[in-house]
Amino acid sequence: MLGYFPFTEDTCNGKNRPMDLTWWDNDDGEYWHDFVLHLERENYFKKDEETLEKLFCEREYTPSNIIGIMNVRNQKRIEELLTQAKSMCKVANALLIFKTNSSGKSQKYFDEVYAYLLNKHNIVESNTDYVSDISGTLYMYYKNEK
């Protein structure tokens, strides 16, 4: 928590839809003044656009940092969501993590993880990791593609 005050299903005093996790700082006893983090995690494919809307919506308090973790069907859908996110993002530090099974292997778990760091309307960094099953334990590893 890094010294911040965490809240789950936070609505900012009923003014927003419930947010999965928020971190706040600078409580003066009546109000919170610094909205440090908004995190959303979504497992349902059909709620990916709704999750982006929750993360990047217009609101009275804008978080300094945003993290969105979503399951998506494939790489094409990731590209569509990134296009939307870039047009919606107004914060300097937004991390979007997409879990997918786009390799085509038939297994019960996702096997690729794509992470994108956005600074307002630009992707400033990205990374891809892969998941493998070794004797029933899932491991994530980064393939150096140099």
Side-chain angles (χ1 to χ4, degrees), residues 20-63:
D20 289 350
L21 175 69
T22 59
W23 284 359
W24 292 83
D25 198 11
N26 291 331
D27 173 29
D28 65 9
E30 189 173 349
Y31 297 104
W32 296 96
H33 295 285
D34 293 328
F35 188 5
V36 177
L37 173 71
H38 174 191
L39 179 139
E40 287 292 326
R41 184 181 65 89
E42 184 55 62
N43 290 325
Y44 296 111
F45 296 137
K46 64 183 179 182
K47 291 190 172 187
D48 52 10
E49 289 183 23
E50 180 182 338
T51 301
L52 286 182
E53 174 60 33
K54 279 179 80 173
L55 289 167
F56 299 120
C57 67
E58 292 288 330
R59 51 189 150 186
E60 182 180 355
Y61 300 103
T62 302

Side-chain angles (χ1 to χ4, degrees), residues 72-83 100 102:
V72 293
R73 293 196 185 276
N74 53 42
Q75 180 64 34
K76 181 181 177 196
R77 184 62 179 156
I78 291 172
E79 295 302 324
E80 292 168 358
L81 293 170
L82 281 174
T83 299
T100 185
S102 61

Side-chain angles (χ1 to χ4, degrees), residues 103-131:
S103 68
K105 299 176 190 171
S106 59
Q107 69 245 358
K108 295 179 182 177
Y109 58 87
F110 60 90
D111 62 352
E112 296 178 347
V113 178
Y114 297 87
Y116 299 89
L117 181 62
L118 282 75
N119 180 326
K120 299 195 177 175
H121 303 294
N122 299 308
I123 296 173
V124 293
E125 195 170 336
S126 65
N127 194 358
T128 303
D129 291 310
Y130 302 89
V131 178

